[in-house]
Amino acid sequence: MALVLNEEQLMLKDAAAGFLQEKASVAALRALRDSRDEAGYSKELWQEMADMGWAGIAIPEAYGGLDYGYIGLGIVLEQMGRNLSVSPLQSSVLVAATAIALGGSEAQKQALLPAIASGETIVTLALQEGPHHAPHKTAATAIADGDGYVISGRKVMVADAHVADKLIVVARTAGEPGDAEGLGLFLVDREATGVSTERVIMVDSRNSGTVTLDSVQVSADQVLGSLDTGSALLQQVLDIANIGLSAELLGLCLESFERTMEYLKDRKQFGAAIGTFQGLQHRAAEMYADLELAKSVVIRSLQAIDAGDDNLSLLASACKAKVSQVAARVSNEAIQMHGGIGMTDEFDIGFFIKRARVAQQTFGDHSYHLDRYATLSAF
Amino acid sequence: MSELEQFRLETREWLEANCPAAMRVPEAGDDDQYWGGRNPEMSHPDQKVWSDRMGEKGWTTPEWPAEYGGGGLDKDEVKVLRQEMSRIGARTPLHSFGISMLGPALLLYGTEAQKQEHIPKIVRGEIRWCQGYSEPGAGSDLASLQTRAEDQGDHYLVNGSKVWTSYADKADWIFCLTRTDNTGTKHEGISFLLFDMASEGVTTKPILLISGYSPFCETFFDDVKVPKANLMGEEGKGWTIAKYLLTHERAMISGFGHSSGKKTLSQNAVELIGMDAGGKLDDPVLRQNLAQLELDAMVFGHTMSRVTDEAKAGQGLGEAASIFKYYGTELNKRRFELMLSVYGEQGLAWEGDAYDNGKLPRAWLRTKANSIEGGTSEIQLNIIAKRVLGLPS
Ligand SMILES: Cc1cc2nc3c(=O)[nH]c(=O)nc-3n(C[C@H](O)[C@H](O)[C@H](O)COP(=O)(O)OP(=O)(O)OC[C@H]3O[C@@H](n4cnc5c(N)ncnc54)[C@H](O)[C@@H]3O)c2cc1C
């Protein structure tokens, strides 16, 4: 498939850019942060986005979505990255809806996908337990009990935990922490007995949270898909999630790079624009090359999700590894090339490096995915 | 059946009948490349047979117009031809600066007579060309070149010297940048001349490289007479042509970064180094570097495709192509450094049949030139910074 956007996709990109610049820009993020908003995102804005179809953009029409595919979702995510827009699009749509669409039973899909697409329900994945992304180390357990299961464990870094209606909890049904297999995905109400959540505000001013599960009873129909395929389903969901996060990171990188290039043309020292200095020019040119590579791997990976490519895992790890590496470089240089003003809270460039680091780490950073890429390539 | 499918069948049949078996095994080294010319050098007689047959059909330059001997194929047909050639492992029939550099410029800027004269001979590999750009005092700052061409009525009298002229001692003709006027800025007054290396007053002196090979020369011009008809484009306007030709040269050089072997470097590493108990390459640092290289190579490949696709779709300005020369050559240098790490100290043997007579270290050393020839990496970064990013001078 040609590595370009078609007419319809280009229109979506322009529309998303226009809407987000107006309503969900860096200024909006700053306002949310400074007002210490209870929800951590604007519910009205999220409803507007859902009304435009974004919350169902990759969800099939049969379940109330727009069916634009992941390329459509990626386009919106990239623009959200550019504007640092805050919403549950990542947690509920990119990750949770994907898990339900890929793994859910017909009844689960009917019950949840239209509700996610309309913006009415927020679902989030409760996976991580330690400092790093390491799904195989999952220690939370789901123990068979009559027709159902009893889940216990502690989850950290759960995006939007305190505002979610439902959690998709990853728990071990077999094996030991360290085994890649033996994981199950369970749909759990956030308000179910035994579930408690605590909000954690991250460096990027976004919602994360800790979820404690204390002998939470779930019925058999709350298992997402089947237990035998839980680990494989999780990998598939994470591959897609990492590609989506890469699209967001790409937008963030492009925006901070462009802002930095403008600054190099404006700021004068030694009687000349600082952009005349070759020491800065070459670093800028190298970043440009990196960004062109990042663009290519993102569009290729998004298309691969929609095409159902069978080497998606390899591509997803290449994508997240490359884009994380580029994001680290570009966000660091953005601060350095702005000099002192780049360090001030009043100036916006600092917001980009903060979001970059969180998105890089979520579901595995450069080192994690470089290692996985090598493993998948059999060395 | 579509016309394209028909073309594929015919092409397959023709290649099957005309590509000699010896030309279906990969080139083992530079010696196996066929460059044609008046006195062609060969490691196997079928090299000329294969090149001549392809040249006759115009398929050494499949996309060039048929009226000058080219293949006259459209983009899709060219793609089919390449696919069918790679299906049987057919070698590139003819390596040529005439094809990769001069031809495109000739087609755009040459007179009708020049095209009629030179293009068919390039297509058929009858004349081997070399590039007379760099001078001892004009490398990165190419426009400061001093080789003089004086107007003598019906001819120019050329005096001066060039350096780093690849294969000057083997080439039949040269495309040469000369100065016809000293009065304007350095970019003005440059003229693009074509002349026979057998002309009186042309001498060459090979230069030995760190790889132990001598692929290029110093080239001296002492009162060389060049007929006026051999001026390409307008007198004093050669810089535009020179730059256009450089874009083709850079495109060729950026392609060096593609790996050609059947096995990936990481697969070779697994064989030579082995795995640890956890099933990972038993050298964690090398493993990391290899993963980064192979990942970057894959993403670079996607980038070349994307930029081509964007051009076809009429999107973007093709600016991203400016990174190809820089990134592709740096990637290739990185690949060869890692090859040394993978093959270990034994890989550095310089002589002896058991060690391929130093094929690896020689090839590794050769890659160091990738980021120098055709405009250095630093110059490519200058170009990106100024022309693409619009940073001020
Ligand atoms: C294998 C090989 C084949 C070649 N074949 C040919 C050929 O067939 N015909 C031909 O005409 N030429 C040929 N060349 C010459 C080649 O084009 C030049 O070597 C090249 O343009 C660099 O010029 P230079 O060697 O004079 O280096 P210099 O220009 O002296 O550069 C030295 C160093 O200074 C840096 N530098 C220079 N200017 C700047 C700047 N403005 N900003 C930052 N850094 C700068 C360079 O990047 C480089 O690192 C060949 C070279 C090689 C290595």
Side-chain angles (χ1 to χ4, degrees):
Chain A
M1 197 192 299
L3 295 173
V4 290
L5 299 183
N6 65 26
E7 284 296 319
E8 190 185 42
Q9 291 159 354
L10 286 170
M11 275 164 58
L12 172 65
K13 181 176 169 177
D14 287 345
F19 177 86
L20 294 169
Q21 265 160 32
E22 192 194 325
K23 305 217 162 164
S25 63
V26 186
L29 166 64
R30 185 187 286 280
L32 273 176
R33 181 193 70 172
D34 292 349
S35 68
R36 304 194 60 81
D37 188 273
E38 277 292 313
Y41 73 101
S42 159
K43 291 185 175 165
E44 300 79 61
L45 193 67
W46 178 233
Q47 197 51 56
E48 268 190 76
M49 292 182 193
D51 291 346
M52 288 188 294
W54 292 2
I57 198 157
I59 293 176
E61 278 180 60
Y63 302 104
L66 280 188
D67 212 0
Y68 269 38
Y70 283 91
I71 188 95
L73 179 54
I75 289 167
V76 174
L77 283 165
E78 184 182 326
Q79 296 309 315
M80 291 201 151
R82 271 196 180 265
N83 292 286
L84 299 180
S85 315
V86 184
S87 83
L89 189 74
Q90 289 88 333
S91 59
S92 193
V93 179
L94 173 65
V95 184
T98 296
I100 296 162
L102 286 177
S105 66
E106 190 53 38
Q108 288 166 340
K109 289 197 259 188
Q110 293 287 1
L112 287 169
L113 291 178
I116 292 175
S118 70
E120 172 194 323
T121 295
I122 293 178
V123 185
T124 187
L125 179 71
L127 167 64
Q128 193 165 324
E129 297 182 5
H132 294 104
H133 174 68
H136 65 288
K137 290 191 181 160
T138 297
T141 51
I143 296 167
D145 176 43
D147 281 352
Y149 297 87
V150 176
I151 303 179
S152 294
R154 183 170 175 274
K155 298 286 179 181
V156 297
M157 297 296 109
V158 179
D160 295 321
H162 80 292
V163 291
D165 302 290
K166 274 187 194 298
L167 309 167
I168 298 176
V169 176
V170 179
R172 187 167 285 289
T173 53
E176 296 291 316
D179 294 349
E181 297 300 316
L183 301 179
L185 279 63
F186 299 86
L187 288 161
V188 179
D189 275 355
R190 185 177 55 87
E191 302 205 320
T193 315
V195 177
S196 59
T197 54
E198 190 191 332
R199 182 182 182 192
V200 176
I201 296 176
M202 301 295 287
V203 66
D204 62 355
S205 313
R206 291 170 201 235
N207 287 330
S208 187
T210 305
V211 177
T212 311
L213 300 127
D214 185 8
S215 301
V216 179
Q217 307 241 338
V218 296
S219 60
D221 61 7
Q222 286 171 271
V223 175
L224 196 63
S226 85
L227 287 182
D228 310 333
T229 53
S231 299
L233 170 63
L234 181 63
Q235 282 311 319
Q236 241 184 320
V237 173
L238 291 172
D239 285 340
I240 293 176
N242 273 308
I243 294 169
L245 286 173
S246 301
E248 186 198 343
L249 277 168
L250 172 64
L252 174 165
C253 288
L254 290 170
E255 181 68 24
S256 49
F257 180 70
E258 285 165 21
R259 289 182 182 213
T260 306
M261 290 307 104
E262 282 314 304
Y263 194 71
L264 293 194
K265 291 172 198 170
D266 284 353
R267 168 75 176 162
K268 292 199 174 55
Q269 282 296 284
F270 299 99
I274 57 172
T276 58
F277 306 142
Q278 199 180 48
L280 299 185
Q281 288 185 345
H282 281 193
R283 277 151 59 191
E286 286 177 1
M287 282 193 274
Y288 173 77
D290 266 353
L291 286 166
E292 288 301 314
L293 263 73
K295 282 184 198 170
S296 313
V297 74
V298 166
I299 188 171
R300 173 77 182 78
S301 304
L302 288 168
Q303 288 182 352
I305 305 175
D306 291 332
D309 272 21
D310 43 7
N311 68 346
L312 193 66
S313 290
L314 188 77
L315 206 47
S317 277
C319 188
K320 187 71 186 310
K322 187 74 221 167
V323 178
S324 294
Q325 187 187 38
V326 175
R329 179 183 204 167
V330 171
S331 57
N332 283 331
E333 288 283 45
I335 303 263
Q336 178 65 21
M337 290 187 182
H338 276 89
I341 199 154
M343 289 300 297
T344 61
D345 183 72
E346 193 188 338
F347 199 75
D348 283 345
I349 204 77
F351 281 100
F352 289 88
I353 196 171
K354 293 176 179 175
R355 174 61 192 148
R357 288 304 177 280
V358 177
Q360 283 168 240
Q361 290 269 350
T362 303
F363 306 138
D365 62 359
H366 172 252
S367 1
Y368 178 91
H369 285 286
L370 195 61
D371 177 75
R372 185 167 179 258
Y373 179 88
T375 303
L376 292 169
S377 306
F379 68 97
Chain B
M1 190 182 332
S2 74
E3 272 175 47
L4 199 60
E5 280 315 298
Q6 184 65 32
F7 174 77
R8 184 185 295 278
L9 283 186
E10 286 165 17
T11 303
R12 188 172 293 184
E13 239 169 74
W14 187 88
L15 288 173
E16 213 41 81
N18 288 281
C19 182
M23 294 300 106
R24 301 183 194 195
V25 288
E27 294 168 359
D30 288 356
D31 294 348
D32 287 343
Q33 293 185 349
Y34 181 72
W35 287 80
R38 287 175 185 145
N39 304 302
E41 290 182 346
M42 277 173 271
S43 59
H44 192 289
D46 281 350
Q47 286 177 301
K48 186 164 168 16
V49 174
W50 172 224
S51 175
D52 286 351
R53 285 179 183 163
M54 286 290 277
E56 204 53 51
K57 277 187 91 70
W59 283 3
T60 46
T61 56
E63 60 279 87
W64 289 9
E67 52 177 319
Y68 304 114
L73 304 186
D74 64 29
K75 281 206 170 85
D76 293 329
E77 290 167 333
V78 172
K79 204 166 159 191
V80 167
L81 173 61
R82 300 226 190 281
Q83 285 166 348
E84 290 303 317
M85 284 175 67
S86 85
R87 202 181 64 87
I88 59 167
R91 286 187 194 173
T92 302
L94 179 63
H95 291 262
S96 154
F97 294 156
I99 294 175
S100 58
M101 296 196 233
L102 178 62
L106 250 178
L107 285 167
L108 196 60
Y109 296 100
T111 61
E112 190 52 36
Q114 287 168 343
K115 291 191 237 182
Q116 298 281 2
E117 163 76 11
H118 298 297
I119 302 269
K121 292 178 186 166
I122 291 174
V123 175
R124 295 196 299 263
E126 289 166 9
I127 292 294
R128 182 170 180 176
W129 287 85
C130 66
Q131 177 190 31
Y133 272 35
S134 304
E135 297 181 4
S140 297
D141 184 14
L142 181 59
S144 67
L145 60 96
Q146 293 301 333
T147 291
R148 287 173 52 77
E150 264 172 277
D151 191 336
Q152 301 281 323
D154 64 340
H155 67 271
Y156 293 104
L157 204 59
V158 177
N159 278 288
S161 66
K162 296 285 172 183
V163 71
W164 321 129
T165 326
S166 294
Y167 308 116
D169 52 340
K170 295 173 178 161
D172 307 310
W173 276 63
I174 186 168
F175 49 93
C176 190
L177 295 180
T178 60
R179 186 160 293 288
T180 42
D181 185 1
N182 249 326
T183 55
T185 69
K186 64 183 178 183
H187 296 104
E188 294 162 3
I190 292 174
S191 297
F192 198 105
L193 297 184
L194 312 172
F195 55 92
D196 196 323
M197 289 292 278
S199 310
E200 203 167 320
V202 179
T203 48
T204 59
K205 195 172 148 222
I207 304 168
L208 186 66
L209 294 193
I210 52 177
S211 61
Y213 295 127
S214 301
F216 57 27
C217 299
E218 290 177 272
T219 309
F220 304 96
F221 309 122
D222 184 13
D223 283 342
V224 179
K225 279 188 186 171
V226 177
K228 278 263 176 85
N230 292 10
L231 170 71
M232 205 166 112
E234 276 175 63
E235 186 179 285
K237 300 278 165 64
W239 185 244
T240 311
I241 308 177
K243 279 194 303 185
Y244 176 77
L245 189 142
L246 274 175
T247 60
H248 284 271
E249 179 180 7
R250 287 171 185 162
M252 169 189 71
I253 296 170
S254 45
F256 291 172
H258 283 297
S259 75
S260 49
K262 288 214 158 57
K263 271 191 219 156
T264 62
L265 190 51
S266 57
Q267 286 170 328
N268 283 323
V270 168
E271 274 176 29
L272 288 160
I273 298 167
M275 299 288 218
D276 67 12
K280 296 182 176 187
L281 184 68
D282 199 6
D283 181 337
V285 177
L286 177 61
R287 178 174 182 269
Q288 171 181 342
N289 291 333
L290 282 171
Q292 189 70 55
L293 172 87
E294 292 185 356
L295 188 158
D296 285 343
M298 174 176 106
V299 177
F300 183 54
H302 292 327
T303 304
M304 305 252 250
S305 310
R306 177 173 62 83
V307 173
T308 313
D309 291 346
E310 282 178 353
K312 269 196 221 146
Q315 292 178 16
L317 301 168
E319 288 167 329
S322 63
I323 73 164
F324 292 169
K325 203 283 169 174
Y326 165 70
Y327 203 90
T329 57
E330 294 296 335
L331 192 65
N332 202 36
K333 288 198 298 181
R334 190 147 49 104
R335 179 190 307 284
F336 273 83
E337 283 297 333
L338 282 176
M339 263 191 221
L340 293 192
S341 307
V342 167
Y343 288 92
E345 194 169 352
Q346 281 203 356
L348 292 170
W350 190 249
E351 290 183 6
D353 288 340
Y355 296 102
D356 262 346
N357 283 309
K359 203 174 114 192
L360 173 61
R362 288 170 204 272
W364 158 69
L365 288 165
R366 176 63 181 83
T367 63
K368 300 299 172 197
N370 295 163
S371 52
I372 299 172
E373 58 198 320
T376 68
S377 279
E378 290 76 15
I379 295 301
Q380 302 312 306
L381 293 174
N382 285 348
I383 292 174
I384 297 170
K386 299 213 171 85
R387 303 228 188 101
V388 182
L389 301 176
L391 294 176
S393 301

PDB file of all heavy atoms in Angstrom, chain A residues 301-312:
ATOM      1  N   SER A 301       3.243   1.425  10.120  1.00  0.00           N
ATOM      2  CA  SER A 301       2.715   0.575  11.188  1.00  0.00           C
ATOM      3  C   SER A 301       1.204   0.718  11.315  1.00  0.00           C
ATOM      4  O   SER A 301       0.496  -0.272  11.511  1.00  0.00           O
ATOM      5  CB  SER A 301       3.382   0.917  12.520  1.00  0.00           C
ATOM      6  OG  SER A 301       4.778   0.818  12.417  1.00  0.00           O
ATOM      7  N   LEU A 302       0.719   1.945  11.206  1.00  0.00           N
ATOM      8  CA  LEU A 302      -0.742   2.143  11.277  1.00  0.00           C
ATOM      9  C   LEU A 302      -1.428   1.385  10.140  1.00  0.00           C
ATOM     10  O   LEU A 302      -2.435   0.711  10.339  1.00  0.00           O
ATOM     11  CB  LEU A 302      -1.091   3.633  11.198  1.00  0.00           C
ATOM     12  CG  LEU A 302      -0.753   4.483  12.426  1.00  0.00           C
ATOM     13  CD1 LEU A 302      -0.877   5.969  12.105  1.00  0.00           C
ATOM     14  CD2 LEU A 302      -1.658   4.133  13.613  1.00  0.00           C
ATOM     15  N   GLN A 303      -0.859   1.494   8.952  1.00  0.00           N
ATOM     16  CA  GLN A 303      -1.445   0.764   7.815  1.00  0.00           C
ATOM     17  C   GLN A 303      -1.385  -0.742   8.042  1.00  0.00           C
ATOM     18  O   GLN A 303      -2.301  -1.466   7.672  1.00  0.00           O
ATOM     19  CB  GLN A 303      -0.713   1.112   6.517  1.00  0.00           C
ATOM     20  CG  GLN A 303      -1.006   2.514   6.012  1.00  0.00           C
ATOM     21  CD  GLN A 303      -0.309   2.809   4.688  1.00  0.00           C
ATOM     22  OE1 GLN A 303       0.513   2.020   4.217  1.00  0.00           O
ATOM     23  NE2 GLN A 303      -0.619   3.945   4.093  1.00  0.00           N
ATOM     24  N   ALA A 304      -0.309  -1.173   8.688  1.00  0.00           N
ATOM     25  CA  ALA A 304      -0.151  -2.609   8.914  1.00  0.00           C
ATOM     26  C   ALA A 304      -1.218  -3.140   9.875  1.00  0.00           C
ATOM     27  O   ALA A 304      -1.661  -4.278   9.740  1.00  0.00           O
ATOM     28  CB  ALA A 304       1.246  -2.907   9.455  1.00  0.00           C
ATOM     29  N   ILE A 305      -1.633  -2.316  10.842  1.00  0.00           N
ATOM     30  CA  ILE A 305      -2.702  -2.773  11.753  1.00  0.00           C
ATOM     31  C   ILE A 305      -3.964  -3.019  10.923  1.00  0.00           C
ATOM     32  O   ILE A 305      -4.592  -4.074  11.011  1.00  0.00           O
ATOM     33  CB  ILE A 305      -3.048  -1.716  12.837  1.00  0.00           C
ATOM     34  CG1 ILE A 305      -1.816  -1.290  13.626  1.00  0.00           C
ATOM     35  CG2 ILE A 305      -4.129  -2.261  13.775  1.00  0.00           C
ATOM     36  CD1 ILE A 305      -2.092  -0.154  14.630  1.00  0.00           C
ATOM     37  N   ASP A 306      -4.312  -2.023  10.104  1.00  0.00           N
ATOM     38  CA  ASP A 306      -5.562  -2.139   9.336  1.00  0.00           C
ATOM     39  C   ASP A 306      -5.500  -3.265   8.313  1.00  0.00           C
ATOM     40  O   ASP A 306      -6.513  -3.878   8.008  1.00  0.00           O
ATOM     41  CB  ASP A 306      -5.881  -0.804   8.652  1.00  0.00           C
ATOM     42  CG  ASP A 306      -6.257   0.267   9.672  1.00  0.00           C
ATOM     43  OD1 ASP A 306      -6.776  -0.106  10.749  1.00  0.00           O
ATOM     44  OD2 ASP A 306      -6.022   1.460   9.413  1.00  0.00           O
ATOM     45  N   ALA A 307      -4.297  -3.521   7.795  1.00  0.00           N
ATOM     46  CA  ALA A 307      -4.163  -4.576   6.783  1.00  0.00           C
ATOM     47  C   ALA A 307      -4.031  -5.961   7.418  1.00  0.00           C
ATOM     48  O   ALA A 307      -4.017  -6.964   6.719  1.00  0.00           O
ATOM     49  CB  ALA A 307      -2.954  -4.293   5.901  1.00  0.00           C
ATOM     50  N   GLY A 308      -3.915  -5.993   8.748  1.00  0.00           N
ATOM     51  CA  GLY A 308      -3.766  -7.286   9.424  1.00  0.00           C
ATOM     52  C   GLY A 308      -2.445  -7.990   9.122  1.00  0.00           C
ATOM     53  O   GLY A 308      -2.392  -9.211   9.044  1.00  0.00           O
ATOM     54  N   ASP A 309      -1.389  -7.208   8.943  1.00  0.00           N
ATOM     55  CA  ASP A 309      -0.060  -7.792   8.674  1.00  0.00           C
ATOM     56  C   ASP A 309       0.320  -8.808   9.744  1.00  0.00           C
ATOM     57  O   ASP A 309       0.083  -8.578  10.928  1.00  0.00           O
ATOM     58  CB  ASP A 309       1.018  -6.692   8.696  1.00  0.00           C
ATOM     59  CG  ASP A 309       1.193  -6.053   7.348  1.00  0.00           C
ATOM     60  OD1 ASP A 309       0.252  -6.154   6.535  1.00  0.00           O
ATOM     61  OD2 ASP A 309       2.262  -5.448   7.120  1.00  0.00           O
ATOM     62  N   ASP A 310       0.946  -9.904   9.345  1.00  0.00           N
ATOM     63  CA  ASP A 310       1.282 -10.884  10.377  1.00  0.00           C
ATOM     64  C   ASP A 310       2.593 -10.596  11.100  1.00  0.00           C
ATOM     65  O   ASP A 310       2.902 -11.244  12.089  1.00  0.00           O
ATOM     66  CB  ASP A 310       1.219 -12.334   9.855  1.00  0.00           C
ATOM     67  CG  ASP A 310       1.842 -12.470   8.495  1.00  0.00           C
ATOM     68  OD1 ASP A 310       2.415 -11.477   8.056  1.00  0.00           O
ATOM     69  OD2 ASP A 310       1.743 -13.551   7.887  1.00  0.00           O
ATOM     70  N   ASN A 311       3.364  -9.617  10.632  1.00  0.00           N
ATOM     71  CA  ASN A 311       4.579  -9.270  11.396  1.00  0.00           C
ATOM     72  C   ASN A 311       4.368  -8.004  12.226  1.00  0.00           C
ATOM     73  O   ASN A 311       5.299  -7.240  12.444  1.00  0.00           O
ATOM     74  CB  ASN A 311       5.780  -9.100  10.460  1.00  0.00           C
ATOM     75  CG  ASN A 311       5.638  -7.875   9.583  1.00  0.00           C
ATOM     76  OD1 ASN A 311       4.544  -7.300   9.491  1.00  0.00           O
ATOM     77  ND2 ASN A 311       6.710  -7.446   8.953  1.00  0.00           N
ATOM     78  N   LEU A 312       3.150  -7.818  12.693  1.00  0.00           N
ATOM     79  CA  LEU A 312       2.841  -6.569  13.392  1.00  0.00           C
ATOM     80  C   LEU A 312       3.703  -6.355  14.642  1.00  0.00           C
ATOM     81  O   LEU A 312       4.087  -5.229  14.929  1.00  0.00           O
ATOM     82  CB  LEU A 312       1.355  -6.522  13.768  1.00  0.00           C
ATOM     83  CG  LEU A 312       0.894  -5.135  14.217  1.00  0.00           C
ATOM     84  CD1 LEU A 312       0.959  -4.136  13.075  1.00  0.00           C
ATOM     85  CD2 LEU A 312      -0.512  -5.169  14.800  1.00  0.00           C
TER      86      LEU A 312
END
